[in-house]
Amino acid sequence: MHVLSVFGTRPEAIKMAPVVKALSAEKGIRSITCVTGQHRTMLDQVLALFDIKPDFDLAVMAPNQTLNGLASRVMAGLDDIFAEVRPDYVLVHGDTTTAMAASLAAAHRNIKIGHVEAGLRTYDLAKPWPEELNRRVIDVAATKLFAPTETSADNLRAERLGGEILVTGNTVIDALKETVGRIDNDPAIRTRLEAQFSFLDPSRRVLLVTGHRRESFGDGFLNICKALAELSRRADLQIVYPVHLNPNVSGPVHELLSGKPNIHLIEPQEYLSFVYLMNRADIILTDSGGVQEEAPSLGKPVLVMRDVTERPEAVAAGVVRLVGTDAQRITGEVERLLGDAAYYSGFARILNPYGDGLASKRIAASLAGRDIAPFAI
Ligand code: UD1
Ligand code: UDP
């Protein structure tokens, strides 16, 4: 059986890396990978770390690309590859334009689709935009729906979709476990990471920040920067912010925060370094989907700069809190965590609602036609 995995952005690559590995270990499967190159630098960082050499690279990224330009380049590029590879299954991940366009292209060619990370929903097409639309389109078209949790599987069941639903856990936990293991077991890597982040002051607490959601472009990012500027005045805190390469993010962030004492604006980090930073952080402030899933596994409190989330499990467990993009609210929530030790320790608990590290093996086994025991918390 030919399984063609298609991905193109940083988070898809991190979450598909363990799946690609698990597929290669299946005797009955020929695993083929195609990266779209929706991201270039941030994708290549992940491919290098996990030693993935794609069979195809569509290299579609353009500076400040439009969604339609991107989607059309992905669909046209994949059509040629489908003709060459004749895949039995196209495997996509999550909710990016790469994943949505790849699914449409596969559906137009009557090729079966497997959707990794199926069933996440906010039921608000504007939040996140365009991801809520993308994942629903993919789920309608998919034959195999690999839901990370029971909650996401319940969403799919309620929608009465045609695909087979399997609860697998989220593959991000597979990638995280492997990466934490590499850091823990290799003193040379640890020494390198410590040297790389020797600018961090051990006497100050660390606030790690990431952000990139399209619905926060404009006022949202201005507010986030205002909150960070305010927080940077605290002598007990240092802010580390790997800035996303989207010009709608990097533009205002560099303009408003460059040169501020206590704020380290750094390049997007390769995954190993970012996992190290998450482990060093006292608080994580983010709008990232993947980080919301990883941080509870590391016992780090997360404040999510959004109004809704498709990942309600950690919010319900009390280790992730939605804080929106209001500057005062963000500042207040960070200060509460810094100032109230009992409140902080209620948040800083290690939990694994999103996976057990075996999601990729379940996905590969299912594609190979074997029965799998689902992920259960
Ligand atoms: C994309 C996904 C989003 C995902 C996010 C993860 C869509 C519509 N959006 O958003 O769902 O959560 O990735 O980070 O699929 N750029 C570079 N180099 C890079 C990456 C990006 O220069 O390595 C710049 C380019 O100018 C590019 C722009 O960022 O045109 C936007 O990239 P794009 O993938 O369209 O959107 P993201 O905001 O990254
Ligand atoms: N990440 C990384 N380097 C960074 C910032 C994030 O490797 O500088 C990782 C993070 O650990 C997570 C993923 O990238 O696994 C999240 O990517 P992003 O926030 O871009 O996208 P989202 O998850 O929101 O789709």
Side-chain angles (χ1 to χ4, degrees):
M1 170 150 79
H2 291 189
V3 177
L4 177 67
S5 301
V6 181
F7 49 94
T9 64
R10 168 174 67 193
E12 291 170 278
I14 291 169
K15 292 168 164 186
M16 286 297 280
V19 178
V20 167
K21 194 168 152 194
L23 287 173
S24 316
E26 286 290 340
K27 283 202 188 75
I29 289 180
R30 183 175 162 225
S31 168
I32 306 145
T33 50
C34 173
V35 294
T36 64
Q38 174 174 338
H39 285 173
R40 188 71 276 163
T41 315
M42 288 156 58
L43 171 72
D44 291 347
Q45 286 178 321
V46 185
L47 298 179
L49 179 69
F50 289 99
D51 198 23
I52 296 174
K53 295 182 180 63
D55 299 290
F56 300 95
D57 187 340
L58 300 181
V60 295
M61 196 191 90
N64 217 357
Q65 57 209 1
T66 62
L67 298 178
N68 284 330
L70 182 59
S72 54
R73 290 194 294 279
V74 169
M75 289 182 77
L78 279 176
D79 214 33
D80 294 338
I81 291 167
F82 292 163
E84 189 178 332
V85 170
R86 304 197 164 276
D88 299 290
Y89 258 96
V90 167
L91 205 56
V92 298
H93 181 280
D95 50 23
T96 65
T97 296
T98 281
M100 184 275 295
S103 302
L104 275 186
H108 289 161
R109 287 280 177 194
N110 253 326
I111 300 166
K112 286 186 204 148
I113 298 160
H115 188 194
V116 181
E117 201 180 85
L120 274 64
R121 297 288 186 270
T122 59
Y123 292 105
D124 180 346
L125 285 174
K127 294 176 183 176
W129 178 80
E131 290 83 358
E132 177 73 9
L133 172 65
N134 288 344
R135 57 198 175 211
R136 288 203 225 169
V137 169
I138 302 166
D139 285 336
V140 167
T143 301
K144 281 188 183 276
L145 296 154
F146 299 114
T149 65
E150 270 303 327
T151 309
S152 44
D154 280 344
N155 292 336
L156 296 167
R157 289 178 195 121
E159 289 171 28
R160 301 177 61 181
L161 299 170
E164 177 195 2
I165 301 166
L166 298 155
V167 180
T168 59
N170 197 306
T171 59
V172 79
I173 304 299
D174 309 7
L176 180 67
K177 283 194 167 187
E178 185 191 327
T179 307
V180 167
R182 275 163 87 164
I183 297 173
D184 285 350
N185 297 323
D186 190 334
I189 291 180
R190 276 206 309 283
T191 307
R192 171 171 73 72
L193 291 169
E194 271 151 26
Q196 188 183 339
F197 296 107
S198 58
F199 61 84
L200 290 175
D201 176 349
S203 70
R204 292 176 182 205
R205 288 196 276 178
V206 174
L207 176 67
L208 177 64
V209 182
T210 77
H212 68 81
R213 298 252 79 93
R214 274 177 159 71
E215 60 272 21
S216 299
F217 289 175
D219 286 348
F221 270 96
L222 297 182
N223 289 338
I224 291 166
C225 290
K226 218 161 123 188
L228 295 176
E230 178 65 29
L231 287 164
S232 74
R233 297 210 227 152
R234 289 182 65 117
D236 61 345
L237 190 67
Q238 55 198 324
I239 297 170
V240 185
Y241 184 170
V243 184
H244 196 285
L245 294 178
N246 191 322
N248 298 293
V249 177
S250 57
V253 169
H254 283 288
E255 195 182 313
L256 296 167
L257 299 178
S258 275
K260 291 231 179 286
N262 293 346
I263 304 188
H264 302 281
L265 299 181
I266 57 178
E267 295 292 310
Q269 296 297 296
E270 54 128 4
Y271 190 54
L272 207 61
S273 309
F274 191 74
V275 169
Y276 174 86
L277 276 179
M278 284 196 285
N279 254 326
R280 280 285 303 260
D282 294 281
I283 303 170
I284 301 177
L285 182 63
T286 188
D287 63 18
S288 161
V291 176
Q292 281 177 66
E293 292 153 349
E294 292 160 340
S297 208
L298 302 170
K300 301 296 174 176
V302 185
L303 300 175
V304 176
M305 299 181 285
R306 294 177 56 192
D307 304 321
V308 289
T309 181
E310 57 287 299
R311 295 164 169 90
E313 295 85 349
V315 178
V319 296
V320 167
R321 193 175 172 98
L322 295 174
V323 299
T325 54
D326 177 74
Q328 259 187 327
R329 172 100 198 267
I330 294 172
T331 314
E333 295 280 357
V334 172
E335 291 193 321
R336 185 170 177 205
L337 278 170
L338 290 171
D340 183 340
Y343 182 64
Y344 182 90
S345 47
F347 262 84
R349 287 178 290 124
I350 295 178
L351 290 179
N352 278 304
Y354 296 110
D356 57 2
L358 299 173
S360 307
K361 289 202 169 113
R362 291 191 182 97
I363 291 165
S366 164
L367 285 163
R370 295 200 302 280
D371 284 341
I372 56 159
F375 164 62
I377 298 172

